[in-house]
Structure formats: structure tokens, C-alpha cells
């Protein structure tokens, strides 16, 4: 791990240049102030710390966490307008939506603090650091209240660097004064080791807003092995389930090959995935081309193929052989393939060709799922029988099922779920609705009020911009290989054919946080009759 050293200016992780797109104006403002703050002592600040478990919620998020030698300070940021009346808090978000909750921002901060404290206590024996909270409302002053001490709140009058520093130091003194613990010096490094794991970091393909965001992800040991192998082996055949990091590794191996001066082609059938990879590699000379356009190209020094299972048939392999100098037998190539149930979505799959191509390369397997939560991985494995590997993203919320009898029922249930997301202050832009029907025009989602009001729109191509307050409706074919924070799967009508199960597998493995499915009575009955490992637990 990078030694943080001893500094007085607060160090924010990730840095402002790596935050990508942040939807909250309030959080962006606070992040800029924190990046300039000097607390007069060593301090590190983590932005957007996700907790896998929470006393009251399935997923909790800490906006900012400041780690000092003897104290951890949880910062809750609230933009928009808020008020309290008769014990109820009213929040008006940036979209003008009004939400009423019994739990106010101070309670939210404290419950997240207690969850963090419990988690760290399990992982760091004898933890002595104190814990505290502070709520920041950049755009609104709050009247004094018995629910919180003035030191626990930072309002608009403190939204300057010096004012913010003063307010933070006041909060630190308040919480230190309330702690009876005798701190030990090693807690600081121990907490950093837990919150900032000792792994290499490479740019991640994140589709939070439908475009590339530069985030940083930890590469598991097996991903390290594959990256090292790509530097010493001419031919790499890498397999892994959905969410195991194949696309990330395809991009990274292409980047490294191009940096050595080789001409590199990166291709797959999905134009949406190609578009994402092209933007990620914009500063390199890697050619990112959809498979449909590859026949026009001359051979390359290195060939990288994502979603290779879509091309493992005789006709496509003859073209792959032409596209790499030396051919598939002697050329330099890297193929990334998912053997689970995706082979019926695009192209044709020949198991004999699969084995023949794989036999001529160094083989690597990715056993970890780095995208989906444990709840999503377990449910997908139970329903489809696919091996997604071991989840690394935490437990997450349970998978939700509804059983609509008609398209009108499905549309109404979809509207209710989208409304719930808005009440939870989740931007609809973070949500993708995936239909298992072959056309979005035939989806029950088009009969929803959200679709009629323009809060849900049909995807019109990989370049469709993400719009705040608007969810997207896509087919499985259009969204294969991509991902979103929250995925709602609709039109699960009939699972009697292998292709239907393949589409269900692809749809269920798109979300990073939550998954919701609308399953017809017929499909539900079919799932209930499937053998163990192919149905709902």
C-alpha cells in the first residue's frame, strides 16, 4: 500500500480528478472544500464509502469519512431544502420531488456511524479510535435543536475553506471530548489498510451515467495473474462469469499492448460495449471496432476479443484468423469468454471450435464476481444454474420479485418501483429497465405512466445520452455486456426455451446494487419446477 506519510492538509481519496461525474452539487462543493482543508494534523478523507451491512437499511452510504489518528468522523451532506414538523423530516430534492421521512440527516449519519464502527471493530481487534458525525447543509441554515449539538452541524455560513476548517475542528473537539477511549497510534494505519485495500488500481468501466467514469477498482489476484500472463504469453484465453472483470481486462491488455508499439484491434459483437471501450481507450491507438465492421480491416499485431463466445464458430473464426498477423495458431491474441448461458443471444456458438481455440492458448479463469452483490449472484445461480463465481461486492439488498398477471399489472408495479426509487432520492438516470421481449415496443413497460410521462425512454443506440430524472428501457441484446446501478427486469413471460434462460441470465447480471424482476405466472411456475440450483430458493 502507498505510504500516506504525515501531512496536515487533508488527503481525499479518490482525488478530485478521479471522481468522474458526481450528481450531487452539494457533495461536489463539500469535496472541493475538503480537498483544501488543513486540520493541523494527519488526516485522510474517503469519499462515498459504501457499507455492505446496516442496522436499518440493506445498503448504507457514508458521503465522506475523515480518518485521523484517534477519531473517525462521518460526514452526511444534504443538498436541496429540508424541514422538520411534528417529528417528520421533509426533503425537497434537486428534481423538485418532495419526500417525507421520520429519520432525519442526523439520525442517518449516526446509524451509518454505528454500522461502520461495528464493521471496523470486527476487522480491527482492540480498535480504540473514537467515532463522530457531522451534518453539512451547504444551501440551508438549520435552527438550533435539542436533537443535535451545534458542533454537529455545518451550514452555508461555513462554506469557505477557512470557515469549513474551523467548523470541522470544532466538530473534532466535540467528539474527542465525548470519548473515554485512550487511543493507540496504530489505529490510523489499520483503518486505512481496511478502507483502502492493498491492490493495484486501473481505470474501471463504470456506466453510472451511461458513459465512462474513471473509478478505481481492486484487481483480484487472478486478474493480476492474467495481466502478467498477457505480457509473457502470445495467446491468452480467459473465461469468467458475468461481472468477473473480463471487459476491464480486455481494455487493459489492449492498452498495454498498444503502449509497446503494437497495432491492436479490440472487437466484440455488441456495439454498445465497443462504444464504452472506445471512450475508455480514447488516448491510445487501439482500434475499437464492432465485429460487423471488422471485415474491412487489415491484420493487426495483436487481436483482443471481448464476449468471445459470440464468435466461436467456424465462419467467424476464419475471419478472426485473418485479422491477426500469424493467424490464430501463431499470432498474438487475447480472448475473453463467458461460458454461462450467453451463447444464445448473439451469433452462433460451436463447442468444438471453443475447445480448439482455447487449447492453443494459455488459459486463465476469473473466479470472482466484481460487479454483482452476493444477493444477486446467489439468486442468479439458483435460477439459471450459471457459475458467477464468488461475489466481492458485499451482500446488498435482497432481489425483489413481483408476479403480474397482465401487462397492465406489470406496468403498474413498475411505476410503483420507480416511485419508490424517487422517494429514496435515487436519480432515475441510474436505473435501466431490461425487457426480455425482442423489442422495446412490445414491452409492458411502454404501458407505464413513467413511459408516457417521459420518465422512462426507449434506448435508441449506444450513444444515447443519460438524462437526469430519466430511466432507460432496453432489450437484453442491447444491454448485453453493459451494467447499471439498478436494474428492473420486465416481461419474464416464458422460460421454456434455452434462449429465454440465456436472456434471463444476461438481464439478472447487469446491476451493481439492486435487482427487481416482474415474472409472469407461467414463468414462475416453470421456475418452481426446475431442479435444485435452477430455481428460486
Amino acid at each position: 500500500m502507498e505510504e500516506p506519510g504525515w501531512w496536515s492538509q487533508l488527503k481525499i481519496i479518490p482525488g478530485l480528478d478521479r471522481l468522474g461525474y458526481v450528481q450531487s452539487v452539494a457533495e461536489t462543493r463539500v469535496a472541493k472544500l475538503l480537498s483544501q482543508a488543513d486540520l493541523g494534523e494527519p488526516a485522510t478523507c474517503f469519499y462515498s464509502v459504501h457499507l455492505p451491512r446496516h442496522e436499518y437499511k440493506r445498503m448504507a452510504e457514508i458521503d465522506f469519512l475523515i480518518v485521523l489518528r484517534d477519531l473517525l468522523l462521518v460526514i452526511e451532506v444534504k443538498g436541496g431544502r429540508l424541514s422538520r414538523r411534528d417529528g417528520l423530516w421533509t426533503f425537497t430534492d434537486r428534481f423538485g420531488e418532495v419526500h417525507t421521512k421520520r429519520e432525519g440527516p442526523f439520525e442517518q449519519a449516526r446509524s451509518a456511524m454505528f454500522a461502520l464502527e461495528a464493521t471496523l471493530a470486527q476487522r480491527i481487534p482492540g480498535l480504540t479510535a473514537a467515532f463522530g458525525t457531522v451534518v453539512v447543509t451547504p444551501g440551508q441554515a438549520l435552527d438550533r435543536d435539542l436533537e443535535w449539538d451545534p458542533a454537529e452541524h455545518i451550514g452555508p455560513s461555513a462554506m469557505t475553506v477557512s470557515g469549513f476548517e474551523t467548523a470541522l475542528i470544532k466538530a473534532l473537539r466535540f467528539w474527542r471530548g465525548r470519548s473515554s477511549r485512550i487511543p493507540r497510534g496504530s489505529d490510523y494505519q489499520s483503518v486505512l489498510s481496511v478502507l483502502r485495500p492493498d491492490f493495484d488500481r486501473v481505470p474501471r468501466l463504470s456506466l453510472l451515467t451511461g458513459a465512462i467514469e474513471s473509478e478505481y477498482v481492486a484487481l483480484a489476484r487472478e486478474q493480476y495473474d492474467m495481466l502478467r500472463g498477457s505480457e509473457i504469453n502470445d495467446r491468452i484465453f480467459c473465461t469468467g462469469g458475468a461481472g468477473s472483470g473480463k471487459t476491464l481486462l480486455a481494455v487493459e491488455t489492449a492498452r498495454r499492448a498498444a503502449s509497446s508499439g503494437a497495432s491492436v484491434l479490440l472487437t466484440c459483437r455488441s456495439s454498445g460495449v465497443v462504444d464504452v471501450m472506445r471512450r475508455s481507450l480514447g488516448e491510445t491507438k487501439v482500434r475499437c471496432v464492432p465485429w460487423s465492421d471488422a471485415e474491412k480491416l487489415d491484420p493487426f499485431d495483436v487481436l483482443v476479443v471481448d464476449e468471445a463466445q459470440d464468435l466461436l464458430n467456424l465462419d467467424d473464426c476464419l475471419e478472426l484468423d485473418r485479422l491477426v498477423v500469424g493467424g490464430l495458431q501463431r499470432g498474438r491474441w487475447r480472448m475473453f469468454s463467458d461460458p454461462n448461458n450467453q451463447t444464445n443471444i448473439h451469433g452462433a456458438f460451436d463447442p468444438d471450435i471453443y475447445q480448439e481455440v482455447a487449447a492453443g492458448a494459455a488459459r486463465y479463469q476469473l473466479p470472482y464476481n466484481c460487479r454483482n452483490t452476493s444477493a444477486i449472484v446467489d439468486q442468479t445461480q439458483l435460477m439459471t444454474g450459471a457459475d458467477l463465481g464468488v461475489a466481492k461486492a458485499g451482500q446488498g439488498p435482497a432481489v425483489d420479485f413481483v408476479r403480474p398477471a397482465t401487462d397492465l399489472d406489470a406496468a403498474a408495479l413498475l411505476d410503483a418501483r420507480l416511485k419508490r426509487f424517487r422517494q429514496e432520492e435515487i436519480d432515475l438516470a441510474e436505473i435501466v429497465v431490461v425487457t426480455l421481449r425482442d423489442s422495446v415496443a412490445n414491452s409492458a413497460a411502454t404501458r407505464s405512466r413513467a413511459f408516457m410521462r417521459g420518465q422512462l425512454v426507449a434506448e435508441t443506440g449506444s450513444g444515447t445520452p443519460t438524462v437526469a430524472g430519466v430511466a432507460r428501457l432496453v432489450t437484453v441484446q442491447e444491454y448485453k455486456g453493459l451494467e447499471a446501478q439498478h436494474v428492473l427486469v420486465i416481461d419474464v413471460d416464458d422460460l421454456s426455451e434455452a434462449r429465454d434462460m440465456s436472456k434471463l441470465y444476461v438481464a439478472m447480471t447487469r446491476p451493481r446494487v439492486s435487482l427487481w424482476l416482474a415474472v409472469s405466472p407461467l414463468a414462475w411456475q416453470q421456475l418452481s419446477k426446475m431442479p435444485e440450483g435452477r430455481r428460486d430458493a
Side-chain angles (χ1 to χ4, degrees):
M1 184 178 69
E2 178 187 81
E3 185 67 29
W6 297 113
W7 54 81
S8 59
Q9 183 168 330
L10 190 149
K11 182 176 182 179
I12 188 168
I13 299 174
L16 291 182
D17 60 333
R18 295 175 177 173
L19 289 184
Y21 175 76
V22 179
Q23 294 177 351
S24 171
V25 175
E27 288 183 16
T28 302
R29 188 176 181 186
V30 170
K32 290 179 179 178
L33 290 173
L34 284 167
S35 69
Q36 302 173 72
D38 186 342
L39 302 181
E41 58 181 304
T44 297
C45 178
F46 291 90
Y47 172 63
S48 192
V49 181
H50 293 271
L51 301 179
R53 296 185 181 274
H54 192 278
E55 184 177 0
Y56 304 110
K57 304 173 184 175
R58 299 183 193 275
M59 291 289 287
E61 179 182 300
I62 294 174
D63 293 334
F64 296 93
L65 174 66
I66 297 179
V67 181
L68 302 107
R69 290 185 180 183
D70 59 345
L71 176 68
L72 282 78
L73 185 68
V74 171
I75 300 178
E76 174 77 15
V77 180
K78 281 295 178 186
R81 301 187 303 277
L82 63 160
S83 61
R84 190 176 68 166
R85 182 176 181 181
D86 297 329
L88 292 177
W89 285 86
T90 298
F91 300 85
T92 305
D93 63 23
R94 60 188 178 278
F95 309 112
E97 296 272 358
V98 178
H99 314 288
T100 301
K101 299 182 180 180
R102 289 195 175 276
E103 184 185 54
F106 295 91
E107 293 176 67
Q108 291 175 1
R110 290 167 193 155
S111 60
M113 176 193 73
F114 291 136
L116 175 67
E117 184 175 9
T119 298
L120 291 179
Q122 291 179 347
R123 301 183 65 180
I124 305 175
L127 181 68
T128 60
F131 289 77
T133 65
V134 67
V135 173
V136 182
T137 56
Q140 182 178 354
L142 298 180
D143 295 332
R144 296 191 61 167
D145 194 285
L146 294 176
E147 183 182 335
W148 64 85
D149 188 275
E152 297 179 75
H153 174 243
I154 300 177
S157 62
M159 291 296 105
T160 63
V161 174
S162 60
F164 204 70
E165 287 175 352
T166 300
L168 282 178
I169 292 172
K170 181 180 178 181
L172 298 178
R173 288 173 180 166
F174 171 76
W175 287 109
R176 282 170 171 152
R178 295 189 55 170
S179 175
S180 60
R181 298 175 180 177
I182 300 176
R184 63 183 182 188
S186 61
D187 279 348
Y188 181 81
Q189 293 294 345
S190 298
V191 171
L192 291 186
S193 296
V194 169
L195 296 178
R196 187 184 183 185
D198 185 14
F199 291 130
D200 189 15
R201 280 161 166 75
V202 299
R204 179 189 183 202
L205 299 179
S206 173
L207 303 176
L208 180 62
T209 62
I212 295 299
E213 265 188 275
S214 290
E215 290 182 352
Y216 281 72
V217 297
L219 291 179
R221 185 189 64 209
E222 286 73 14
Q223 293 171 312
Y224 269 135
D225 291 343
M226 201 288 302
L227 283 175
R228 286 197 297 267
S230 70
E231 296 171 355
I232 61 176
N233 293 291
D234 285 338
R235 292 168 292 283
I236 297 289
F237 195 89
C238 181
T239 58
S244 59
K246 297 185 300 298
T247 299
L248 180 150
L249 290 171
V251 167
E252 189 62 17
T253 56
R255 186 194 311 274
R256 296 188 182 195
S259 67
S260 68
S263 61
V264 182
L265 171 65
L266 178 54
T267 187
C268 73
R269 278 199 185 275
S270 171
S271 59
V273 175
V274 169
D275 188 56
V276 168
M277 295 190 294
R278 182 185 297 117
R279 281 178 278 173
S280 181
L281 292 165
E283 79 287 1
T284 74
K285 294 183 179 180
V286 176
R287 287 289 304 276
C288 298
V289 178
W291 181 243
S292 58
D293 296 334
E295 63 181 12
K296 307 172 185 177
L297 303 175
D298 294 327
F300 287 77
D301 297 329
V302 179
L303 172 66
V304 182
V305 183
D306 194 21
E307 305 284 349
Q309 70 277 356
D310 297 337
L311 301 176
L312 292 176
N313 57 76
L314 181 59
D315 290 341
D316 287 328
C317 277
L318 289 174
E319 182 65 13
L320 289 172
D321 186 75
R322 185 193 68 79
L323 282 169
V324 60
V325 175
L328 292 180
Q329 187 173 1
R330 294 184 299 275
R332 295 174 60 196
W333 52 262
R334 295 91 174 83
M335 294 193 190
F336 299 84
S337 173
D338 182 354
N340 291 307
N341 291 336
Q342 292 200 53
T343 56
N344 298 305
I345 306 299
H346 285 308
F349 176 77
D350 185 327
D352 293 332
I353 295 291
Y354 177 97
Q355 293 298 333
E356 182 178 347
V357 172
R363 301 187 66 168
Y364 293 88
Q365 183 176 9
L366 302 176
Y368 295 115
N369 182 298
C370 303
R371 175 198 300 150
N372 309 126
T373 63
S374 294
I376 293 171
V377 167
D378 292 344
Q379 194 65 62
T380 305
Q381 289 175 340
L382 285 167
M383 293 177 64
T384 69
D387 181 7
L388 273 72
V390 180
K392 302 285 282 185
Q395 177 60 32
V399 177
D400 285 334
F401 293 90
V402 294
R403 285 182 273 180
T406 66
D407 277 8
L408 284 177
D409 291 340
L413 290 166
L414 177 62
D415 278 323
R417 188 66 187 94
L418 292 173
K419 181 179 180 180
R420 180 177 162 192
F421 274 124
R422 294 195 299 272
Q423 290 173 340
E424 294 172 352
E425 300 183 25
I426 293 174
D427 188 353
L428 295 185
E430 299 175 0
I431 300 164
V432 170
V433 180
V434 181
T435 173
L436 262 62
R437 295 175 184 170
D438 290 331
S439 169
V440 294
N442 297 328
S443 172
T446 60
R447 307 184 72 171
S448 66
R449 286 177 296 176
F451 189 84
M452 296 174 186
R453 293 173 178 174
Q455 295 173 320
L456 173 66
V457 299
E459 185 75 85
T460 57
S462 60
T464 302
T466 299
V467 179
V470 178
R472 287 168 292 156
L473 173 62
V474 301
T475 64
V476 171
Q477 293 89 333
E478 290 169 333
Y479 218 64
K480 184 173 178 285
L482 304 178
E483 60 182 42
Q485 288 280 72
H486 310 278
V487 171
L488 311 182
V489 182
I490 200 166
D491 306 318
V492 185
D493 301 322
D494 186 342
L495 299 174
S496 59
E497 301 294 332
R499 184 171 185 269
D500 300 319
M501 289 301 299
S502 296
K503 291 165 71 175
L504 179 63
Y505 165 79
V506 172
M508 291 184 68
T509 53
R510 299 309 95 198
R512 294 197 301 274
V513 177
S514 73
L515 173 64
W516 177 96
L517 298 101
V519 183
S520 74
L522 173 61
W524 192 266
Q525 184 180 29
Q526 291 167 337
L527 286 170
S528 68
K529 292 180 179 179
M530 287 181 180
E532 187 68 26
R534 291 286 301 273
R535 58 180 172 81
D536 186 354

